[in-house]
Structures are given as C-alpha cells and as structure tokens.
Amino acid sequence: MDLIRSGAGREEVSAPGSDPDYSGFIKSINASTGIDLSQYKEAQMKRRLTTLRTKHGYSTFAQFFEAMKKDKNLFFEFLDRMTINVSEFWRNPNRWEVLRDTIIPELRAGGKKGLKVWSAACSTGEEPYTLAMILDGHGILGDSKLNAADLDEGALAKAKQGQYLERSLKDVPPKVAEKYFKAEGLMYKVDDKLKRAVNFHKANLLTDKFDDGYDLIVCRNVMIYFTEEAKATLYHKFASSLRKGGVLFVGSTEQIFSPGQYGLEPCDTFFYKKI
C-alpha cells in the first residue's frame, strides 16, 4: 500500500492496478463504451465510483458493471458521476470579463464578423450559453459557429433543455441575466436565441478526432481529472484544432506549464494563444 497525506490525516490508497476487481471494471468499460478510465487519476475516480457502487448495493465492480449493462439509468448515473457535472454560468467571472473585453476583440482583429468557437466538455450547458451571451454582446452570435460537446448524454439532454436553478446564475451580471433568462416556477429558462445558436453533440475528448480552424476553444475544470499523459495528449489535440492566433481558455486550476511544447504561448492568465 502507498500512503498519501490528506487534509484530514493519512489515507491508504492502493497502488495503481493492484485491485483486480477495479482493473477488470476499467477493461470492461473500455471494451463496451470506448471510455478509458485509466486516463483518469485512479485514486479520485475509484473513490467516486466506489461511493456510487455502494449506494446501489453492489459489493464488487464486476457486479456493478453487469447491472449497468441492464439498467440504462444506472449507466447514465455512472457517466454523470464520472464526468463531474458541476457548472455555473460565468464561473470565475473575472476570467470571462477578460474573454469578453480583451480576447474576443483580439480574435476579431482584421474585421472578422464571426468566430468559430468550441466548448469542450460542456457539461449541462452553462459554459456554451455563457459564450453565446458574450458573442451576442459583441453582435456576432449570428455570424459565429458555436459547438459544444460532452461525453455524457444525460448532461447534453439537460443542456439542450436549457432550464436551470437560480443558484447557477449567481455570477451572471444582473443586466445580462435579465436579458437572457426567464423565470418559470423554480427554474430559469435560457432565451431561445441562445439555444438555437449552440450545436450540442456527443464526443469523447480522449479518443475522438477534433475539428480544426477554431478561433477559440474553451475547456475548463476538466483537465484536473486526467493523468499527465492524457493532459499532454489533449493539449496537443487542442493546439492542432486552433487556427494560428487562436486561443485556448482553461480553468482556474489548470495552468499549462511549458506551453511552448504544444505550440502555445500565454496571452493572459489561463489563456493560451497558438503560435
């Protein structure tokens, strides 16, 4: 057993690959879905999925996998737990303000009317709808192409529905919230103009081929769950998908060290431009 120190004291964690039940589960999931759990940090993922497995009364991952094959809702719950669908509109507002006030104008240099934008790992839609609000504020939403992808079909269904609890709107500027949201009971509905502007689709970042020519790619608060090898692969793929001068926008805990190895350079905090 390897020992690591946590905030609450010392915690025992099995060495990678030492649990044949979990290793078999990883292989079964990969073979049946193409999702490679070995690309995720094992201690975090195993702990999260063990909690889910135990909640449903299964004592082994082998039993849990067999149950998921028969129960689609259980499989969707597994995907939701695996992909950590926690999101808010305008999350870390000052970074979105930099995008709105500095990055977008720079990307439009030369008179570009519209931008090609991708929200990768878009979860339940708060991020791409925030992008849509910003593009609309610049008057270029109609001329822009805004794609949004996620692995979790349940999250994508919620995104397309476009209804959110008030707490998801806590960082939205008041005037923006008033313009783009309508209260319906306990929920707030996104304006249909934004919904029509976003092309939601299913994608596996680790295995699927990316489109290219993007002006802006946003992938925030996702990379922290991947191994260093998986991160490097994704940074190379993102860089290849950007046009020269295009920008990658990452989360507030995801600073890229030595971005030059991916053909990127910092252009603001958590923003990286393709060289």
mmCIF file with all atom_site columns, all heavy atoms in Angstrom, residues 154-166:
data_model
loop_
_atom_site.group_PDB
_atom_site.id
_atom_site.type_symbol
_atom_site.label_atom_id
_atom_site.label_alt_id
_atom_site.label_comp_id
_atom_site.label_asym_id
_atom_site.label_entity_id
_atom_site.label_seq_id
_atom_site.pdbx_PDB_ins_code
_atom_site.Cartn_x
_atom_site.Cartn_y
_atom_site.Cartn_z
_atom_site.occupancy
_atom_site.B_iso_or_equiv
_atom_site.pdbx_formal_charge
_atom_site.auth_seq_id
_atom_site.auth_comp_id
_atom_site.auth_asym_id
_atom_site.auth_atom_id
_atom_site.pdbx_PDB_model_num
ATOM 1  N N   . GLY A 1 154 ? -26.799 12.364 -20.763 1.00 0.00 ? 154 GLY A N   1
ATOM 2  C CA  . GLY A 1 154 ? -27.725 12.964 -19.814 1.00 0.00 ? 154 GLY A CA  1
ATOM 3  C C   . GLY A 1 154 ? -27.453 14.446 -19.616 1.00 0.00 ? 154 GLY A C   1
ATOM 4  O O   . GLY A 1 154 ? -28.380 15.262 -19.566 1.00 0.00 ? 154 GLY A O   1
ATOM 5  N N   . ALA A 1 155 ? -26.172 14.802 -19.514 1.00 0.00 ? 155 ALA A N   1
ATOM 6  C CA  . ALA A 1 155 ? -25.799 16.213 -19.376 1.00 0.00 ? 155 ALA A CA  1
ATOM 7  C C   . ALA A 1 155 ? -26.177 16.995 -20.625 1.00 0.00 ? 155 ALA A C   1
ATOM 8  O O   . ALA A 1 155 ? -26.672 18.127 -20.541 1.00 0.00 ? 155 ALA A O   1
ATOM 9  C CB  . ALA A 1 155 ? -24.302 16.332 -19.106 1.00 0.00 ? 155 ALA A CB  1
ATOM 10 N N   . LEU A 1 156 ? -25.958 16.397 -21.798 1.00 0.00 ? 156 LEU A N   1
ATOM 11 C CA  . LEU A 1 156 ? -26.310 17.070 -23.055 1.00 0.00 ? 156 LEU A CA  1
ATOM 12 C C   . LEU A 1 156 ? -27.817 17.301 -23.157 1.00 0.00 ? 156 LEU A C   1
ATOM 13 O O   . LEU A 1 156 ? -28.260 18.345 -23.653 1.00 0.00 ? 156 LEU A O   1
ATOM 14 C CB  . LEU A 1 156 ? -25.820 16.244 -24.241 1.00 0.00 ? 156 LEU A CB  1
ATOM 15 C CG  . LEU A 1 156 ? -24.303 16.207 -24.459 1.00 0.00 ? 156 LEU A CG  1
ATOM 16 C CD1 . LEU A 1 156 ? -23.948 15.187 -25.536 1.00 0.00 ? 156 LEU A CD1 1
ATOM 17 C CD2 . LEU A 1 156 ? -23.762 17.586 -24.837 1.00 0.00 ? 156 LEU A CD2 1
ATOM 18 N N   . ALA A 1 157 ? -28.606 16.336 -22.692 1.00 0.00 ? 157 ALA A N   1
ATOM 19 C CA  . ALA A 1 157 ? -30.058 16.493 -22.721 1.00 0.00 ? 157 ALA A CA  1
ATOM 20 C C   . ALA A 1 157 ? -30.487 17.674 -21.853 1.00 0.00 ? 157 ALA A C   1
ATOM 21 O O   . ALA A 1 157 ? -31.360 18.476 -22.245 1.00 0.00 ? 157 ALA A O   1
ATOM 22 C CB  . ALA A 1 157 ? -30.738 15.212 -22.251 1.00 0.00 ? 157 ALA A CB  1
ATOM 23 N N   . LYS A 1 158 ? -29.861 17.816 -20.680 1.00 0.00 ? 158 LYS A N   1
ATOM 24 C CA  . LYS A 1 158 ? -30.159 18.947 -19.798 1.00 0.00 ? 158 LYS A CA  1
ATOM 25 C C   . LYS A 1 158 ? -29.734 20.263 -20.453 1.00 0.00 ? 158 LYS A C   1
ATOM 26 O O   . LYS A 1 158 ? -30.424 21.276 -20.331 1.00 0.00 ? 158 LYS A O   1
ATOM 27 C CB  . LYS A 1 158 ? -29.450 18.765 -18.456 1.00 0.00 ? 158 LYS A CB  1
ATOM 28 C CG  . LYS A 1 158 ? -29.982 17.615 -17.624 1.00 0.00 ? 158 LYS A CG  1
ATOM 29 C CD  . LYS A 1 158 ? -29.187 17.471 -16.331 1.00 0.00 ? 158 LYS A CD  1
ATOM 30 C CE  . LYS A 1 158 ? -29.658 16.271 -15.520 1.00 0.00 ? 158 LYS A CE  1
ATOM 31 N NZ  . LYS A 1 158 ? -28.850 16.087 -14.279 1.00 0.00 ? 158 LYS A NZ  1
ATOM 32 N N   . ALA A 1 159 ? -28.590 20.235 -21.132 1.00 0.00 ? 159 ALA A N   1
ATOM 33 C CA  . ALA A 1 159 ? -28.096 21.445 -21.796 1.00 0.00 ? 159 ALA A CA  1
ATOM 34 C C   . ALA A 1 159 ? -29.070 21.904 -22.874 1.00 0.00 ? 159 ALA A C   1
ATOM 35 O O   . ALA A 1 159 ? -29.369 23.093 -22.997 1.00 0.00 ? 159 ALA A O   1
ATOM 36 C CB  . ALA A 1 159 ? -26.717 21.178 -22.394 1.00 0.00 ? 159 ALA A CB  1
ATOM 37 N N   . LYS A 1 160 ? -29.543 20.963 -23.668 1.00 0.00 ? 160 LYS A N   1
ATOM 38 C CA  . LYS A 1 160 ? -30.485 21.313 -24.744 1.00 0.00 ? 160 LYS A CA  1
ATOM 39 C C   . LYS A 1 160 ? -31.805 21.835 -24.194 1.00 0.00 ? 160 LYS A C   1
ATOM 40 O O   . LYS A 1 160 ? -32.449 22.686 -24.796 1.00 0.00 ? 160 LYS A O   1
ATOM 41 C CB  . LYS A 1 160 ? -30.725 20.088 -25.631 1.00 0.00 ? 160 LYS A CB  1
ATOM 42 C CG  . LYS A 1 160 ? -29.508 19.658 -26.433 1.00 0.00 ? 160 LYS A CG  1
ATOM 43 C CD  . LYS A 1 160 ? -29.771 18.372 -27.197 1.00 0.00 ? 160 LYS A CD  1
ATOM 44 C CE  . LYS A 1 160 ? -28.539 17.899 -27.948 1.00 0.00 ? 160 LYS A CE  1
ATOM 45 N NZ  . LYS A 1 160 ? -28.773 16.612 -28.656 1.00 0.00 ? 160 LYS A NZ  1
ATOM 46 N N   . GLN A 1 161 ? -32.198 21.318 -23.031 1.00 0.00 ? 161 GLN A N   1
ATOM 47 C CA  . GLN A 1 161 ? -33.431 21.778 -22.396 1.00 0.00 ? 161 GLN A CA  1
ATOM 48 C C   . GLN A 1 161 ? -33.295 23.233 -21.953 1.00 0.00 ? 161 GLN A C   1
ATOM 49 O O   . GLN A 1 161 ? -34.232 24.019 -22.043 1.00 0.00 ? 161 GLN A O   1
ATOM 50 C CB  . GLN A 1 161 ? -33.767 20.887 -21.209 1.00 0.00 ? 161 GLN A CB  1
ATOM 51 C CG  . GLN A 1 161 ? -35.129 21.135 -20.604 1.00 0.00 ? 161 GLN A CG  1
ATOM 52 C CD  . GLN A 1 161 ? -35.435 20.173 -19.478 1.00 0.00 ? 161 GLN A CD  1
ATOM 53 O OE1 . GLN A 1 161 ? -34.522 19.688 -18.795 1.00 0.00 ? 161 GLN A OE1 1
ATOM 54 N NE2 . GLN A 1 161 ? -36.701 19.863 -19.263 1.00 0.00 ? 161 GLN A NE2 1
ATOM 55 N N   . GLY A 1 162 ? -32.125 23.586 -21.428 1.00 0.00 ? 162 GLY A N   1
ATOM 56 C CA  . GLY A 1 162 ? -31.831 24.976 -21.093 1.00 0.00 ? 162 GLY A CA  1
ATOM 57 C C   . GLY A 1 162 ? -32.600 25.540 -19.917 1.00 0.00 ? 162 GLY A C   1
ATOM 58 O O   . GLY A 1 162 ? -32.947 26.723 -19.910 1.00 0.00 ? 162 GLY A O   1
ATOM 59 N N   . GLN A 1 163 ? -32.853 24.719 -18.887 1.00 0.00 ? 163 GLN A N   1
ATOM 60 C CA  . GLN A 1 163 ? -33.534 25.189 -17.684 1.00 0.00 ? 163 GLN A CA  1
ATOM 61 C C   . GLN A 1 163 ? -32.639 24.964 -16.473 1.00 0.00 ? 163 GLN A C   1
ATOM 62 O O   . GLN A 1 163 ? -32.093 23.871 -16.293 1.00 0.00 ? 163 GLN A O   1
ATOM 63 C CB  . GLN A 1 163 ? -34.868 24.464 -17.492 1.00 0.00 ? 163 GLN A CB  1
ATOM 64 C CG  . GLN A 1 163 ? -35.901 24.824 -18.559 1.00 0.00 ? 163 GLN A CG  1
ATOM 65 C CD  . GLN A 1 163 ? -37.245 24.183 -18.286 1.00 0.00 ? 163 GLN A CD  1
ATOM 66 O OE1 . GLN A 1 163 ? -37.328 23.049 -17.825 1.00 0.00 ? 163 GLN A OE1 1
ATOM 67 N NE2 . GLN A 1 163 ? -38.314 24.911 -18.568 1.00 0.00 ? 163 GLN A NE2 1
ATOM 68 N N   . TYR A 1 164 ? -32.521 26.005 -15.623 1.00 0.00 ? 164 TYR A N   1
ATOM 69 C CA  . TYR A 1 164 ? -31.540 25.955 -14.547 1.00 0.00 ? 164 TYR A CA  1
ATOM 70 C C   . TYR A 1 164 ? -32.103 26.517 -13.248 1.00 0.00 ? 164 TYR A C   1
ATOM 71 O O   . TYR A 1 164 ? -32.990 27.393 -13.260 1.00 0.00 ? 164 TYR A O   1
ATOM 72 C CB  . TYR A 1 164 ? -30.293 26.755 -14.945 1.00 0.00 ? 164 TYR A CB  1
ATOM 73 C CG  . TYR A 1 164 ? -29.639 26.230 -16.196 1.00 0.00 ? 164 TYR A CG  1
ATOM 74 C CD1 . TYR A 1 164 ? -30.023 26.698 -17.454 1.00 0.00 ? 164 TYR A CD1 1
ATOM 75 C CD2 . TYR A 1 164 ? -28.670 25.238 -16.132 1.00 0.00 ? 164 TYR A CD2 1
ATOM 76 C CE1 . TYR A 1 164 ? -29.440 26.199 -18.614 1.00 0.00 ? 164 TYR A CE1 1
ATOM 77 C CE2 . TYR A 1 164 ? -28.080 24.738 -17.281 1.00 0.00 ? 164 TYR A CE2 1
ATOM 78 C CZ  . TYR A 1 164 ? -28.474 25.217 -18.516 1.00 0.00 ? 164 TYR A CZ  1
ATOM 79 O OH  . TYR A 1 164 ? -27.894 24.711 -19.656 1.00 0.00 ? 164 TYR A OH  1
ATOM 80 N N   . LEU A 1 165 ? -31.547 26.033 -12.134 1.00 0.00 ? 165 LEU A N   1
ATOM 81 C CA  . LEU A 1 165 ? -31.883 26.594 -10.837 1.00 0.00 ? 165 LEU A CA  1
ATOM 82 C C   . LEU A 1 165 ? -31.223 27.964 -10.678 1.00 0.00 ? 165 LEU A C   1
ATOM 83 O O   . LEU A 1 165 ? -30.188 28.251 -11.293 1.00 0.00 ? 165 LEU A O   1
ATOM 84 C CB  . LEU A 1 165 ? -31.408 25.665 -9.717  1.00 0.00 ? 165 LEU A CB  1
ATOM 85 C CG  . LEU A 1 165 ? -32.134 24.321 -9.620  1.00 0.00 ? 165 LEU A CG  1
ATOM 86 C CD1 . LEU A 1 165 ? -31.407 23.402 -8.630  1.00 0.00 ? 165 LEU A CD1 1
ATOM 87 C CD2 . LEU A 1 165 ? -33.581 24.513 -9.190  1.00 0.00 ? 165 LEU A CD2 1
ATOM 88 N N   . GLU A 1 166 ? -31.790 28.779 -9.823  1.00 0.00 ? 166 GLU A N   1
ATOM 89 C CA  . GLU A 1 166 ? -31.300 30.151 -9.643  1.00 0.00 ? 166 GLU A CA  1
ATOM 90 C C   . GLU A 1 166 ? -29.833 30.193 -9.226  1.00 0.00 ? 166 GLU A C   1
ATOM 91 O O   . GLU A 1 166 ? -29.098 31.097 -9.625  1.00 0.00 ? 166 GLU A O   1
ATOM 92 C CB  . GLU A 1 166 ? -32.161 30.873 -8.606  1.00 0.00 ? 166 GLU A CB  1
ATOM 93 C CG  . GLU A 1 166 ? -31.797 32.341 -8.425  1.00 0.00 ? 166 GLU A CG  1
ATOM 94 C CD  . GLU A 1 166 ? -32.717 33.038 -7.443  1.00 0.00 ? 166 GLU A CD  1
ATOM 95 O OE1 . GLU A 1 166 ? -33.563 32.352 -6.822  1.00 0.00 ? 166 GLU A OE1 1
ATOM 96 O OE2 . GLU A 1 166 ? -32.599 34.266 -7.301  1.00 0.00 ? 166 GLU A OE2 1
#
